Amino acid sequence: IAFDVGSHNLIDPFNGILDLQQNILKAVGSAEERFAEDPLRILRMIRFGDAQGRTIEADTLAAAKKHVQLLERVSCERVKTELDKILMSDLPQLGIRKILEIGALPYTIPELIHAVGFEQNKYHIHDVFDHTMWVLERTPRDLILRWSAIFHDVGKPHTLSVDDDGSRHFYSHETVSEDLAKSRMKELRFSTDDTRAISSIVRHHMRPLD
């Protein structure tokens, strides 16, 4: 969409204004060509789509799913920048759910893969992934806190023990979560200060607030 300052007319060859009015997100022209040109657009689609409360047009979504493996070609710094923006959006939990839906977790936050469908215990009504999204939805708009929400329970699938009566426990999952978080933050080139802050929150998240 462009604005002609001479004639004061809007130039809208792809009917983008109508899409904005209907809260729809779609690629310009061929979605497959746009994603092939720059695969990071797959994550931008999610940021401007679900994470901001818009509906992604069916063909655009299908093209993203088809070409999601192209995210392997994107530098980790660019991936992190886009993930930061998704997490700072109004609906970060919907953005992460869309990342799962299109198969992009292996190229973004693979530590969450084992959380999907992983049962917790009698103290929780959600599996680990849904619990993480529940926490993220309720986390203040602070990047350190929202990344901490993402990582805080990723160690649970790796620390499960089951008693004779079937009770499930995740002893020391916070320390395993911290190790996994540090590894991912190193891959994504987090700053030293942010890594230290997020790691500390993850490590101590089981401690009583008093």
Side-chain angles (χ1 to χ4, degrees):
I1 303 173
F3 181 70
D4 187 327
V5 295
S7 65
H8 287 199
N9 291 323
L10 282 169
I11 302 169
D12 183 20
F14 295 97
N15 296 315
I17 293 174
L18 179 61
D19 290 332
L20 285 172
Q21 292 171 343
Q22 296 179 347
N23 219 25
I24 294 173
L25 185 90
K26 69 170 66 170
V28 174
S30 167
E32 293 198 25
E33 291 180 6
R34 299 295 81 77
F35 293 143
E37 290 166 352
D38 183 2
L40 189 70
R41 288 173 178 160
I42 294 172
L43 295 183
R44 287 185 180 146
M45 173 198 76
I46 292 172
R47 170 159 64 97
F48 292 124
D50 292 62
Q52 294 183 7
R54 297 186 183 91
T55 300
I56 301 172
E57 181 256 346
D59 289 343
T60 301
L61 184 60
K65 291 179 179 179
K66 180 178 178 180
H67 294 289
V68 68
Q69 75 281 355
L70 294 179
L71 284 169
E72 288 182 319
R73 302 187 335 208
V74 181
S75 71
C76 54
E77 291 88 353
R78 296 182 74 213
V79 168
K80 179 190 180 295
T81 296
E82 209 57 44
L83 290 174
D84 286 346
K85 292 176 180 179
I86 289 172
L87 288 180
M88 290 298 285
S89 299
D90 291 337
L91 302 166
Q93 76 283 3
L94 297 187
I96 302 300
R97 287 187 182 279
K98 186 62 72 174
I99 286 176
L100 167 65
E101 178 187 331
I102 69 170
L105 275 183
Y107 315 106
T108 52
I109 316 172
E111 291 74 18
L112 284 177
I113 293 173
H114 295 293
V116 178
F118 193 87
E119 180 185 350
Q120 297 202 79
N121 53 32
K122 63 182 179 180
Y123 302 106
H124 294 274
I125 61 173
H126 302 122
D127 65 30
V128 176
F129 182 83
D130 285 341
H131 167 72
T132 299
M133 296 303 99
W134 188 92
V135 173
L136 178 61
E137 181 181 2
R138 289 156 178 78
T139 300
R141 195 191 295 264
D142 177 284
L143 194 57
I144 297 297
L145 294 180
R146 289 191 171 178
W147 271 114
S148 300
I150 288 290
F151 289 130
H152 82 282
D153 272 354
V154 292
K156 278 188 172 179
H158 307 279
T159 57
L160 173 66
S161 62
V162 182
D163 291 344
D164 292 339
D165 64 0
S167 298
R168 298 164 67 87
H169 305 283
F170 309 98
Y171 297 122
S172 299
H173 77 270
E174 64 272 24
T175 59
V176 175
S177 296
E178 179 192 11
D179 290 341
L180 291 169
K182 284 182 175 178
S183 177
R184 178 52 36 196
M185 288 188 284
K186 182 178 180 180
E187 290 288 331
L188 292 175
R189 307 292 196 271
F190 277 63
S191 71
T192 300
D193 286 346
D194 287 356
T195 299
R196 184 181 299 116
I198 294 166
S199 298
S200 180
I201 293 171
V202 172
R203 181 173 68 252
H204 296 109
H205 81 270
M206 293 294 290
R207 293 177 179 243
L209 289 175
D210 57 359

